[in-house]
Amino acid sequence: MLSRRIKDKLQHIATPFYLYDMELLRATLEIVNEESTRYGYKVHYALKANFDKRIFETVRGFGMGVDCVSGNEVKYAVESGFPASSVVYAGVGKSDDEIRYGIEQGIFAFNCESRQELEVINGIAAEMGKIANVALRINPDVDPQTHKNISTGHGDSKFGISYKEVEEVAAKLPELKNINITGLHFHIGSQITSMEPFENLCKRVNMLYGWFTERGFTLTHLNVGGGLGINYENPEAQPIPDFKTYFAVFAEHLDIDPAIEVHFELGRSLVGQCGELITKVLYNKVTAAGSNVAIVDASMTELIRPALYQAHHAIENLNRNDEEGVYTIAGTVCESSDIFAKGITLPAPQRGDLLTLKTAGAYGSAMASRYNMHELPTSVYSDDL
Ligand code: LLP
């Protein structure tokens, strides 16, 4: 863990801040490229996981595409030098202006999430005298076996076109002259740690791919989304996720024409382990119920995952190795859910100690807010230390 190795250098940096291990990020991206190109797979970075400029530039250096979920993300990707032809754009609620911008830029594909959206994209493209490339995001009703708030592919989710509507949508497509259906898109959820949901996804993809090709659609790509989970419990045991097994599952279970490109949208697995949130202990107290509480200077405004999903981030005291106690680590915000961890064992956090919350590179700084008028968190990069 980077913070432990360089803890002396961290003592005088204003807290809280995100610390990024750029070497680990580069090593992760290198392995992703190695394992994906083995099968000719294309990887798009899911920008929502972390839009920090230095992180994004590093990803660009590895030649990946981008997966966007808003017009601003598409704009940021294009303005950061990613070719528009490497940009995919999903999202259940694309506005007319966002759609217009994507068409103007000539993005690789809109991952289209409803029948009505298809009609709207078609209408806007017609007005512009253009043809928009579209992949149908189909909700495959696959259980990702993850937290309910980060499941997207089950039957009652707001995402994608229901598999029950596929036939009706396909029948309508020939009328939509200004869209070109180039592919199918799926994303079943996030933080998926078993390969079984991905195998089940492949079975659905095979079925739908077959269904569309039998009906004369010429698909050029299939996008299977992201979702590969990472080790939050013991990050040091697996700083780089097992991309080899992950891509091999798709290679083994997808049964499609080899000329069809397979695309992925990975977020968490690329950037999760390279980030830590460093925070300083402000106060100690004991509750009437007898819990030892350490109040730190970060809060859910820097890292909302524990409050929102009861997510676990391993915490370490960077200033001590001595006797351990049982503590609740709480943030500064006026919300009872602003707790990073309850009942964890660590060397007694004392005022001034630095704590690290590990595995915070994905959906950490990207989900920061200014609640309680907090400042947005700053970033420190290993390359600068
Ligand atoms: N593609 C689509 C269409 C997505 O919706 C997402 C994530 C991804 C790709 C990237 O998934 P990943 O590889 O990162 O699992 N804030 C939550 C996670 C929300 C994920 C949203 N969609 C968290 O902190 O756990």
Side-chain angles (χ1 to χ4, degrees):
M1 196 57 39
L2 174 68
S3 60
R4 198 186 309 126
R5 293 199 308 269
I6 60 163
K7 60 183 177 202
D8 294 342
K9 290 188 181 170
L10 303 179
Q11 301 300 325
H12 303 292
I13 302 176
T15 50
F17 61 90
Y18 277 92
L19 173 68
Y20 292 110
D21 183 343
M22 301 306 279
E23 212 172 295
L24 177 60
L25 174 62
R26 290 188 287 268
T28 306
L29 296 170
E30 214 167 287
I31 289 187
V32 173
N33 272 354
E34 196 179 304
E35 296 300 336
S36 58
T37 48
R38 197 185 291 283
Y39 308 105
Y41 292 162
K42 310 254 183 250
V43 176
H44 301 260
Y45 169 54
L47 176 55
K48 74 196 81 174
N50 191 320
F51 53 81
D52 178 279
K53 207 167 171 357
R54 293 271 290 269
I55 302 264
F56 199 37
E57 274 169 8
T58 306
V59 171
R60 185 164 60 91
F62 282 77
M64 290 177 184
V66 193
D67 162 41
C68 299
V69 74
S70 70
N72 278 351
E73 284 195 358
V74 176
K75 198 154 182 256
Y76 181 55
V78 170
E79 288 176 357
S80 302
F82 284 84
S85 59
S86 76
V87 172
V88 291
Y89 177 16
V92 285
K94 303 178 190 79
S95 73
D96 292 17
D97 282 347
E98 290 175 315
I99 292 169
R100 207 166 285 120
Y101 180 74
I103 297 176
E104 219 168 73
Q105 295 299 318
I107 61 170
F108 178 75
F110 287 92
N111 292 331
C112 186
E113 309 233 8
S114 68
R115 199 175 112 168
Q116 202 171 15
E117 186 193 325
L118 284 168
E119 287 164 8
V120 171
I121 296 180
N122 183 65
I124 295 173
E127 268 167 39
M128 295 170 72
K130 301 249 180 167
I131 308 278
N133 286 333
V134 168
L136 301 175
R137 176 174 185 176
I138 298 172
N139 187 324
D141 194 18
V142 170
D143 178 5
Q145 303 167 15
T146 185
H147 191 284
K148 66 176 176 13
N149 291 6
I150 50 175
S151 296
T152 49
H154 58 83
D156 202 24
S157 144
K158 71 171 177 175
F159 298 101
I161 296 166
S162 147
Y163 66 96
K164 288 192 178 160
E165 253 190 5
V166 166
E167 206 161 335
E168 200 184 320
V169 167
K172 177 97 189 149
L173 290 173
E175 293 166 31
L176 307 176
K177 304 286 182 212
N178 290 75
I179 58 178
N180 181 22
I181 302 296
T182 55
L184 303 178
H185 172 244
F186 307 85
H187 172 73
I188 55 173
S190 201
Q191 185 50 18
I192 300 170
T193 50
S194 148
M195 288 299 123
E196 196 191 326
F198 294 121
E199 290 176 20
N200 293 336
L201 169 63
C202 289
K203 289 178 198 153
R204 288 294 164 96
V205 173
N206 292 340
M207 207 175 79
L208 285 156
Y209 164 76
W211 193 91
F212 275 91
T213 42
E214 275 162 26
R215 278 157 189 80
F217 287 91
T218 327
L219 304 176
T220 57
H221 80 280
L222 294 170
N223 182 336
V224 294
L228 176 63
I230 56 179
N231 193 339
Y232 283 94
E233 296 296 325
N234 187 4
E236 273 109 322
Q238 202 184 14
I240 300 183
D242 185 1
F243 293 107
K244 190 183 178 71
T245 304
Y246 173 68
F247 289 119
V249 163
F250 289 88
E252 186 184 341
H253 295 275
L254 282 180
D255 184 14
I256 54 170
D257 181 335
I260 304 286
E261 282 183 357
V262 181
H263 292 234
F264 292 78
E265 300 169 342
L266 295 173
R268 187 192 313 268
S269 53
L270 302 190
V271 296
Q273 294 293 22
C274 75
E276 299 173 64
L277 176 61
I278 309 294
T279 182
K280 193 171 274 178
V281 178
L282 292 174
Y283 301 105
N284 287 95
K285 58 164 79 174
V286 181
T287 67
S291 307
N292 291 314
V293 180
I295 312 281
V296 296
D297 65 0
S299 71
M300 63 195 287
T301 58
E302 283 79 30
L303 182 64
I304 201 172
R305 302 191 70 258
L308 202 53
Y309 319 112
Q310 300 74 51
H312 169 80
H313 287 263
I315 300 179
E316 194 173 308
N317 187 338
L318 294 174
N319 289 79
R320 285 166 215 283
N321 303 307
D322 50 10
E323 212 177 309
E324 301 201 317
V326 176
Y327 290 87
T328 291
I329 310 296
T332 59
V333 159
C334 56
E335 295 283 337
S336 313
S337 60
D338 184 27
I339 301 287
F340 287 124
K342 259 199 164 118
I344 59 161
T345 304
L346 77 171
Q350 300 294 312
R351 181 171 169 81
D353 285 357
L354 290 185
L355 305 189
T356 172
L357 283 85
K358 305 178 194 180
T359 320
Y363 307 109
S365 66
M367 293 178 80
S369 80
R370 292 216 49 209
Y371 186 43
N372 289 189
M373 285 188 82
H374 282 190
E375 297 297 339
L376 290 173
T378 53
S379 299
V380 172
Y381 310 90
S382 57
D383 289 350
D384 299 344
L385 292 170

Short mmCIF file of all heavy atoms in Angstrom, two decimals, residues 13-63:
data_model
loop_
_atom_site.label_atom_id
_atom_site.label_comp_id
_atom_site.label_asym_id
_atom_site.label_seq_id
_atom_site.Cartn_x
_atom_site.Cartn_y
_atom_site.Cartn_z
N ILE A 13 0.81 17.20 4.41
CA ILE A 13 -0.11 17.59 3.32
C ILE A 13 -1.50 17.82 3.94
O ILE A 13 -1.94 17.06 4.79
CB ILE A 13 -0.17 16.48 2.24
CG1 ILE A 13 1.23 16.21 1.68
CG2 ILE A 13 -1.14 16.85 1.13
CD1 ILE A 13 1.31 15.07 0.68
N ALA A 14 -2.15 18.90 3.50
CA ALA A 14 -3.47 19.24 4.07
C ALA A 14 -4.47 18.13 3.77
O ALA A 14 -4.61 17.70 2.61
CB ALA A 14 -3.95 20.57 3.50
N THR A 15 -5.14 17.68 4.80
CA THR A 15 -6.12 16.59 4.67
C THR A 15 -7.54 17.14 4.61
O THR A 15 -7.76 18.28 5.05
CB THR A 15 -6.01 15.64 5.88
OG1 THR A 15 -6.05 16.44 7.07
CG2 THR A 15 -4.77 14.78 5.83
N PRO A 16 -8.53 16.38 4.16
CA PRO A 16 -8.40 15.06 3.53
C PRO A 16 -7.99 15.20 2.06
O PRO A 16 -8.24 16.22 1.45
CB PRO A 16 -9.81 14.49 3.63
CG PRO A 16 -10.70 15.70 3.61
CD PRO A 16 -9.94 16.81 4.27
N PHE A 17 -7.35 14.15 1.55
CA PHE A 17 -7.02 14.16 0.12
C PHE A 17 -6.98 12.73 -0.42
O PHE A 17 -6.81 11.77 0.35
CB PHE A 17 -5.66 14.85 -0.13
CG PHE A 17 -4.49 14.19 0.55
CD1 PHE A 17 -3.75 13.20 -0.08
CD2 PHE A 17 -4.11 14.58 1.84
CE1 PHE A 17 -2.66 12.60 0.55
CE2 PHE A 17 -3.02 13.98 2.47
CZ PHE A 17 -2.30 12.99 1.83
N TYR A 18 -7.15 12.63 -1.71
CA TYR A 18 -6.99 11.34 -2.39
C TYR A 18 -5.54 11.19 -2.77
O TYR A 18 -4.92 12.12 -3.29
CB TYR A 18 -7.89 11.25 -3.63
CG TYR A 18 -9.29 10.84 -3.26
CD1 TYR A 18 -10.28 11.77 -2.98
CD2 TYR A 18 -9.62 9.49 -3.14
CE1 TYR A 18 -11.55 11.38 -2.60
CE2 TYR A 18 -10.89 9.09 -2.75
CZ TYR A 18 -11.84 10.03 -2.48
OH TYR A 18 -13.10 9.63 -2.09
N LEU A 19 -5.02 10.01 -2.49
CA LEU A 19 -3.64 9.69 -2.87
C LEU A 19 -3.70 8.63 -3.96
O LEU A 19 -4.34 7.58 -3.77
CB LEU A 19 -2.89 9.14 -1.65
CG LEU A 19 -1.49 8.61 -1.90
CD1 LEU A 19 -0.53 9.75 -2.28
CD2 LEU A 19 -0.96 7.88 -0.66
N TYR A 20 -3.07 8.91 -5.09
CA TYR A 20 -3.11 7.95 -6.20
C TYR A 20 -1.74 7.34 -6.47
O TYR A 20 -0.75 8.07 -6.63
CB TYR A 20 -3.62 8.64 -7.47
CG TYR A 20 -5.08 9.03 -7.36
CD1 TYR A 20 -5.46 10.36 -7.26
CD2 TYR A 20 -6.07 8.05 -7.35
CE1 TYR A 20 -6.80 10.72 -7.15
CE2 TYR A 20 -7.41 8.40 -7.22
CZ TYR A 20 -7.78 9.72 -7.13
OH TYR A 20 -9.10 10.06 -7.01
N ASP A 21 -1.72 6.03 -6.53
CA ASP A 21 -0.51 5.28 -6.85
C ASP A 21 -0.48 5.11 -8.38
O ASP A 21 -1.10 4.20 -8.93
CB ASP A 21 -0.59 3.92 -6.14
CG ASP A 21 0.66 3.08 -6.36
OD1 ASP A 21 1.43 3.37 -7.30
OD2 ASP A 21 0.85 2.11 -5.60
N MET A 22 0.22 6.02 -9.03
CA MET A 22 0.19 6.06 -10.50
C MET A 22 0.91 4.85 -11.11
O MET A 22 0.58 4.41 -12.21
CB MET A 22 0.81 7.37 -11.02
CG MET A 22 0.11 8.62 -10.51
SD MET A 22 -1.68 8.63 -10.83
CE MET A 22 -1.73 9.15 -12.54
N GLU A 23 1.87 4.34 -10.37
CA GLU A 23 2.59 3.16 -10.86
C GLU A 23 1.64 1.95 -10.90
O GLU A 23 1.63 1.19 -11.85
CB GLU A 23 3.74 2.88 -9.90
CG GLU A 23 4.95 2.28 -10.57
CD GLU A 23 6.09 2.23 -9.58
OE1 GLU A 23 6.56 3.31 -9.16
OE2 GLU A 23 6.45 1.11 -9.20
N LEU A 24 0.83 1.83 -9.83
CA LEU A 24 -0.14 0.73 -9.80
C LEU A 24 -1.18 0.90 -10.91
O LEU A 24 -1.58 -0.06 -11.56
CB LEU A 24 -0.82 0.66 -8.42
CG LEU A 24 -1.91 -0.40 -8.28
CD1 LEU A 24 -1.36 -1.81 -8.54
CD2 LEU A 24 -2.56 -0.34 -6.89
N LEU A 25 -1.58 2.15 -11.13
CA LEU A 25 -2.55 2.40 -12.21
C LEU A 25 -1.98 1.95 -13.55
O LEU A 25 -2.62 1.24 -14.31
CB LEU A 25 -2.93 3.89 -12.25
CG LEU A 25 -3.84 4.30 -13.41
CD1 LEU A 25 -5.18 3.58 -13.35
CD2 LEU A 25 -4.07 5.82 -13.43
N ARG A 26 -0.73 2.36 -13.81
CA ARG A 26 -0.12 1.99 -15.10
C ARG A 26 0.04 0.47 -15.22
O ARG A 26 -0.22 -0.10 -16.28
CB ARG A 26 1.24 2.70 -15.27
CG ARG A 26 1.09 4.20 -15.50
CD ARG A 26 2.42 4.86 -15.87
NE ARG A 26 3.33 4.97 -14.73
CZ ARG A 26 3.40 6.03 -13.91
NH1 ARG A 26 2.64 7.09 -14.12
NH2 ARG A 26 4.26 6.05 -12.91
N ALA A 27 0.44 -0.16 -14.11
CA ALA A 27 0.61 -1.63 -14.14
C ALA A 27 -0.73 -2.30 -14.42
O ALA A 27 -0.81 -3.28 -15.18
CB ALA A 27 1.19 -2.11 -12.82
N THR A 28 -1.80 -1.76 -13.85
CA THR A 28 -3.15 -2.34 -14.05
C THR A 28 -3.57 -2.19 -15.51
O THR A 28 -4.04 -3.15 -16.15
CB THR A 28 -4.17 -1.61 -13.13
OG1 THR A 28 -3.68 -1.67 -11.80
CG2 THR A 28 -5.54 -2.23 -13.22
N LEU A 29 -3.35 -0.99 -16.06
CA LEU A 29 -3.77 -0.73 -17.44
C LEU A 29 -2.98 -1.60 -18.42
O LEU A 29 -3.51 -2.08 -19.42
CB LEU A 29 -3.60 0.75 -17.78
CG LEU A 29 -4.49 1.70 -16.95
CD1 LEU A 29 -4.07 3.16 -17.18
CD2 LEU A 29 -5.97 1.52 -17.28
N GLU A 30 -1.71 -1.81 -18.08
CA GLU A 30 -0.87 -2.63 -18.94
C GLU A 30 -1.41 -4.06 -19.00
O GLU A 30 -1.50 -4.65 -20.07
CB GLU A 30 0.54 -2.63 -18.36
CG GLU A 30 1.62 -2.69 -19.41
CD GLU A 30 2.95 -2.38 -18.78
OE1 GLU A 30 3.18 -1.18 -18.44
OE2 GLU A 30 3.74 -3.33 -18.57
N ILE A 31 -1.79 -4.58 -17.84
CA ILE A 31 -2.30 -5.95 -17.79
C ILE A 31 -3.66 -6.05 -18.50
O ILE A 31 -3.92 -7.02 -19.22
CB ILE A 31 -2.34 -6.46 -16.34
CG1 ILE A 31 -0.90 -6.65 -15.89
CG2 ILE A 31 -3.16 -7.73 -16.20
CD1 ILE A 31 -0.69 -7.28 -14.58
N VAL A 32 -4.49 -5.05 -18.32
CA VAL A 32 -5.79 -5.07 -19.01
C VAL A 32 -5.56 -5.13 -20.52
O VAL A 32 -6.19 -5.92 -21.22
CB VAL A 32 -6.61 -3.81 -18.67
CG1 VAL A 32 -7.87 -3.74 -19.51
CG2 VAL A 32 -6.97 -3.79 -17.21
N ASN A 33 -4.66 -4.29 -20.99
CA ASN A 33 -4.38 -4.29 -22.44
C ASN A 33 -3.85 -5.64 -22.90
O ASN A 33 -4.26 -6.17 -23.93
CB ASN A 33 -3.35 -3.20 -22.78
CG ASN A 33 -4.05 -1.87 -23.06
OD1 ASN A 33 -5.26 -1.80 -23.09
ND2 ASN A 33 -3.27 -0.82 -23.24
N GLU A 34 -2.93 -6.18 -22.11
CA GLU A 34 -2.33 -7.47 -22.48
C GLU A 34 -3.40 -8.57 -22.56
O GLU A 34 -3.47 -9.32 -23.53
CB GLU A 34 -1.30 -7.81 -21.40
CG GLU A 34 -0.32 -8.88 -21.77
CD GLU A 34 0.64 -9.09 -20.60
OE1 GLU A 34 1.29 -8.10 -20.17
OE2 GLU A 34 0.70 -10.23 -20.10
N GLU A 35 -4.24 -8.63 -21.53
CA GLU A 35 -5.23 -9.71 -21.47
C GLU A 35 -6.38 -9.51 -22.46
O GLU A 35 -6.96 -10.49 -22.92
CB GLU A 35 -5.78 -9.86 -20.05
CG GLU A 35 -4.74 -10.28 -19.02
CD GLU A 35 -4.08 -11.63 -19.35
OE1 GLU A 35 -4.68 -12.45 -20.05
OE2 GLU A 35 -2.93 -11.82 -18.92
N SER A 36 -6.73 -8.27 -22.76
CA SER A 36 -7.86 -8.04 -23.67
C SER A 36 -7.43 -8.20 -25.13
O SER A 36 -8.17 -8.75 -25.94
CB SER A 36 -8.49 -6.67 -23.43
OG SER A 36 -7.53 -5.66 -23.58
N THR A 37 -6.22 -7.73 -25.45
CA THR A 37 -5.80 -7.82 -26.86
C THR A 37 -5.54 -9.28 -27.27
O THR A 37 -5.63 -9.60 -28.45
CB THR A 37 -4.54 -6.97 -27.17
OG1 THR A 37 -3.57 -7.24 -26.17
CG2 THR A 37 -4.82 -5.50 -27.19
N ARG A 38 -5.29 -10.13 -26.30
CA ARG A 38 -5.16 -11.57 -26.56
C ARG A 38 -6.35 -12.09 -27.40
O ARG A 38 -6.23 -12.98 -28.20
CB ARG A 38 -5.15 -12.26 -25.19
CG ARG A 38 -4.66 -13.67 -25.15
CD ARG A 38 -4.86 -14.21 -23.73
NE ARG A 38 -4.01 -13.61 -22.70
CZ ARG A 38 -2.73 -13.89 -22.52
NH1 ARG A 38 -2.14 -14.75 -23.30
NH2 ARG A 38 -2.04 -13.31 -21.56
N TYR A 39 -7.52 -11.50 -27.13
CA TYR A 39 -8.74 -11.94 -27.84
C TYR A 39 -9.25 -10.87 -28.82
O TYR A 39 -10.36 -10.98 -29.32
CB TYR A 39 -9.86 -12.24 -26.83
CG TYR A 39 -9.44 -13.18 -25.72
CD1 TYR A 39 -9.18 -12.70 -24.43
CD2 TYR A 39 -9.28 -14.54 -25.97
CE1 TYR A 39 -8.78 -13.55 -23.42
CE2 TYR A 39 -8.87 -15.40 -24.96
CZ TYR A 39 -8.62 -14.90 -23.69
OH TYR A 39 -8.23 -15.75 -22.68
N GLY A 40 -8.50 -9.82 -28.99
CA GLY A 40 -8.95 -8.73 -29.87
C GLY A 40 -10.07 -7.90 -29.26
O GLY A 40 -10.81 -7.22 -29.98
N TYR A 41 -10.23 -7.93 -27.93
CA TYR A 41 -11.30 -7.19 -27.28
C TYR A 41 -10.96 -5.70 -27.16
O TYR A 41 -9.79 -5.33 -27.02
CB TYR A 41 -11.56 -7.74 -25.86
CG TYR A 41 -12.14 -9.13 -25.83
CD1 TYR A 41 -12.08 -9.91 -24.68
CD2 TYR A 41 -12.77 -9.69 -26.96
CE1 TYR A 41 -12.63 -11.19 -24.63
CE2 TYR A 41 -13.31 -10.96 -26.92
CZ TYR A 41 -13.24 -11.71 -25.76
OH TYR A 41 -13.77 -12.97 -25.71
N LYS A 42 -11.99 -4.87 -27.18
CA LYS A 42 -11.80 -3.41 -27.04
C LYS A 42 -12.29 -2.98 -25.66
O LYS A 42 -13.42 -3.32 -25.29
CB LYS A 42 -12.63 -2.65 -28.07
CG LYS A 42 -12.48 -3.15 -29.49
CD LYS A 42 -11.64 -2.18 -30.29
CE LYS A 42 -11.51 -2.61 -31.72
NZ LYS A 42 -10.22 -3.05 -32.14
N VAL A 43 -11.47 -2.22 -24.97
CA VAL A 43 -11.87 -1.77 -23.63
C VAL A 43 -12.12 -0.26 -23.63
O VAL A 43 -11.31 0.52 -24.12
CB VAL A 43 -10.79 -2.12 -22.58
CG1 VAL A 43 -11.16 -1.58 -21.21
CG2 VAL A 43 -10.60 -3.64 -22.50
N HIS A 44 -13.29 0.12 -23.08
CA HIS A 44 -13.61 1.54 -22.86
C HIS A 44 -13.53 1.78 -21.37
O HIS A 44 -14.05 0.98 -20.57
CB HIS A 44 -15.04 1.85 -23.33
CG HIS A 44 -15.28 1.56 -24.77
ND1 HIS A 44 -15.27 2.54 -25.74
CD2 HIS A 44 -15.51 0.39 -25.42
CE1 HIS A 44 -15.51 1.98 -26.92
NE2 HIS A 44 -15.65 0.68 -26.75
N TYR A 45 -12.91 2.88 -20.98
CA TYR A 45 -12.83 3.21 -19.56
C TYR A 45 -14.14 3.88 -19.15
O TYR A 45 -14.57 4.88 -19.76
CB TYR A 45 -11.65 4.16 -19.34
CG TYR A 45 -11.63 4.80 -17.96
CD1 TYR A 45 -11.68 4.00 -16.82
CD2 TYR A 45 -11.58 6.18 -17.80
CE1 TYR A 45 -11.68 4.58 -15.55
CE2 TYR A 45 -11.57 6.76 -16.55
CZ TYR A 45 -11.62 5.94 -15.43
OH TYR A 45 -11.63 6.51 -14.18
N ALA A 46 -14.80 3.35 -18.11
CA ALA A 46 -16.05 3.95 -17.62
C ALA A 46 -15.68 5.18 -16.79
O ALA A 46 -15.37 5.10 -15.60
CB ALA A 46 -16.83 2.93 -16.78
N LEU A 47 -15.75 6.31 -17.45
CA LEU A 47 -15.28 7.58 -16.89
C LEU A 47 -15.95 7.95 -15.57
O LEU A 47 -15.39 8.64 -14.72
CB LEU A 47 -15.50 8.67 -17.96
CG LEU A 47 -15.18 10.12 -17.64
CD1 LEU A 47 -13.74 10.26 -17.17
CD2 LEU A 47 -15.40 10.98 -18.89
N LYS A 48 -17.19 7.48 -15.38
CA LYS A 48 -17.91 7.81 -14.15
C LYS A 48 -17.15 7.33 -12.92
O LYS A 48 -17.35 7.87 -11.84
CB LYS A 48 -19.31 7.19 -14.19
CG LYS A 48 -19.34 5.69 -13.99
CD LYS A 48 -20.65 5.08 -14.41
CE LYS A 48 -20.67 4.91 -15.91
NZ LYS A 48 -21.83 4.19 -16.41
N ALA A 49 -16.30 6.32 -13.06
CA ALA A 49 -15.61 5.78 -11.88
C ALA A 49 -14.65 6.81 -11.29
O ALA A 49 -14.46 6.87 -10.07
CB ALA A 49 -14.85 4.51 -12.24
N ASN A 50 -14.03 7.59 -12.16
CA ASN A 50 -13.09 8.61 -11.68
C ASN A 50 -12.73 9.54 -12.85
O ASN A 50 -12.12 9.09 -13.82
CB ASN A 50 -11.81 7.96 -11.13
CG ASN A 50 -10.95 8.96 -10.38
OD1 ASN A 50 -10.82 10.11 -10.80
ND2 ASN A 50 -10.35 8.54 -9.29
N PHE A 51 -13.13 10.80 -12.75
CA PHE A 51 -12.84 11.71 -13.87
C PHE A 51 -11.66 12.63 -13.59
O PHE A 51 -11.47 13.63 -14.28
CB PHE A 51 -14.10 12.48 -14.30
CG PHE A 51 -14.80 13.23 -13.19
CD1 PHE A 51 -14.36 14.46 -12.77
CD2 PHE A 51 -15.91 12.67 -12.58
CE1 PHE A 51 -15.01 15.16 -11.75
CE2 PHE A 51 -16.58 13.35 -11.56
CZ PHE A 51 -16.12 14.59 -11.14
N ASP A 52 -10.85 12.29 -12.58
CA ASP A 52 -9.64 13.05 -12.28
C ASP A 52 -8.79 13.17 -13.57
O ASP A 52 -8.57 12.18 -14.27
CB ASP A 52 -8.85 12.31 -11.20
CG ASP A 52 -7.57 13.01 -10.86
OD1 ASP A 52 -6.57 12.85 -11.60
OD2 ASP A 52 -7.56 13.71 -9.84
N LYS A 53 -8.32 14.39 -13.83
CA LYS A 53 -7.64 14.66 -15.10
C LYS A 53 -6.38 13.79 -15.31
O LYS A 53 -6.15 13.26 -16.39
CB LYS A 53 -7.25 16.15 -15.11
CG LYS A 53 -7.13 16.75 -16.47
CD LYS A 53 -7.07 18.26 -16.34
CE LYS A 53 -6.74 19.02 -17.58
NZ LYS A 53 -6.44 18.38 -18.79
N ARG A 54 -5.58 13.68 -14.25
CA ARG A 54 -4.33 12.91 -14.39
C ARG A 54 -4.62 11.42 -14.62
O ARG A 54 -3.92 10.75 -15.38
CB ARG A 54 -3.46 13.08 -13.14
CG ARG A 54 -2.91 14.48 -12.93
CD ARG A 54 -1.58 14.67 -13.63
NE ARG A 54 -0.47 13.94 -13.05
CZ ARG A 54 0.35 14.40 -12.10
NH1 ARG A 54 0.17 15.61 -11.59
NH2 ARG A 54 1.35 13.67 -11.66
N ILE A 55 -5.64 10.93 -13.95
CA ILE A 55 -6.02 9.52 -14.12
C ILE A 55 -6.50 9.32 -15.57
O ILE A 55 -6.10 8.37 -16.25
CB ILE A 55 -7.17 9.14 -13.15
CG1 ILE A 55 -6.77 9.38 -11.70
CG2 ILE A 55 -7.70 7.73 -13.42
CD1 ILE A 55 -6.26 8.23 -10.95
N PHE A 56 -7.34 10.25 -16.01
CA PHE A 56 -7.93 10.14 -17.35
C PHE A 56 -6.85 10.22 -18.43
O PHE A 56 -6.86 9.47 -19.40
CB PHE A 56 -8.97 11.25 -17.51
CG PHE A 56 -9.97 11.01 -18.60
CD1 PHE A 56 -10.46 9.73 -18.86
CD2 PHE A 56 -10.45 12.07 -19.37
CE1 PHE A 56 -11.40 9.51 -19.87
CE2 PHE A 56 -11.39 11.86 -20.38
CZ PHE A 56 -11.85 10.58 -20.63
N GLU A 57 -5.89 11.13 -18.22
CA GLU A 57 -4.79 11.24 -19.19
C GLU A 57 -3.97 9.96 -19.24
O GLU A 57 -3.51 9.53 -20.29
CB GLU A 57 -3.87 12.41 -18.80
CG GLU A 57 -4.34 13.72 -19.35
CD GLU A 57 -3.60 14.91 -18.75
OE1 GLU A 57 -2.60 14.71 -18.01
OE2 GLU A 57 -4.04 16.05 -19.02
N THR A 58 -3.79 9.37 -18.07
CA THR A 58 -3.02 8.12 -18.03
C THR A 58 -3.75 7.03 -18.81
O THR A 58 -3.15 6.30 -19.59
CB THR A 58 -2.78 7.70 -16.56
OG1 THR A 58 -2.18 8.79 -15.88
CG2 THR A 58 -1.90 6.47 -16.45
N VAL A 59 -5.06 6.96 -18.61
CA VAL A 59 -5.86 5.96 -19.34
C VAL A 59 -5.72 6.20 -20.85
O VAL A 59 -5.55 5.26 -21.63
CB VAL A 59 -7.34 6.03 -18.90
CG1 VAL A 59 -8.21 5.16 -19.80
CG2 VAL A 59 -7.50 5.61 -17.45
N ARG A 60 -5.77 7.46 -21.23
CA ARG A 60 -5.67 7.80 -22.67
C ARG A 60 -4.35 7.29 -23.25
O ARG A 60 -4.28 6.78 -24.36
CB ARG A 60 -5.79 9.31 -22.88
CG ARG A 60 -5.80 9.71 -24.35
CD ARG A 60 -6.29 11.12 -24.54
NE ARG A 60 -5.44 12.07 -23.83
CZ ARG A 60 -4.39 12.68 -24.37
NH1 ARG A 60 -4.06 12.45 -25.61
NH2 ARG A 60 -3.67 13.51 -23.65
N GLY A 61 -3.31 7.39 -22.45
CA GLY A 61 -1.98 6.95 -22.87
C GLY A 61 -1.94 5.46 -23.20
O GLY A 61 -1.03 5.00 -23.88
N PHE A 62 -2.91 4.71 -22.70
CA PHE A 62 -2.93 3.27 -22.96
C PHE A 62 -3.86 2.91 -24.12
O PHE A 62 -4.14 1.74 -24.35
CB PHE A 62 -3.30 2.51 -21.67
CG PHE A 62 -2.12 2.41 -20.73
CD1 PHE A 62 -1.73 3.50 -19.96
CD2 PHE A 62 -1.38 1.24 -20.65
CE1 PHE A 62 -0.64 3.42 -19.13
CE2 PHE A 62 -0.29 1.15 -19.81
CZ PHE A 62 0.09 2.25 -19.05
N GLY A 63 -4.36 3.94 -24.79
CA GLY A 63 -5.11 3.70 -26.03
C GLY A 63 -6.52 3.16 -25.85
O GLY A 63 -7.09 2.61 -26.79
#
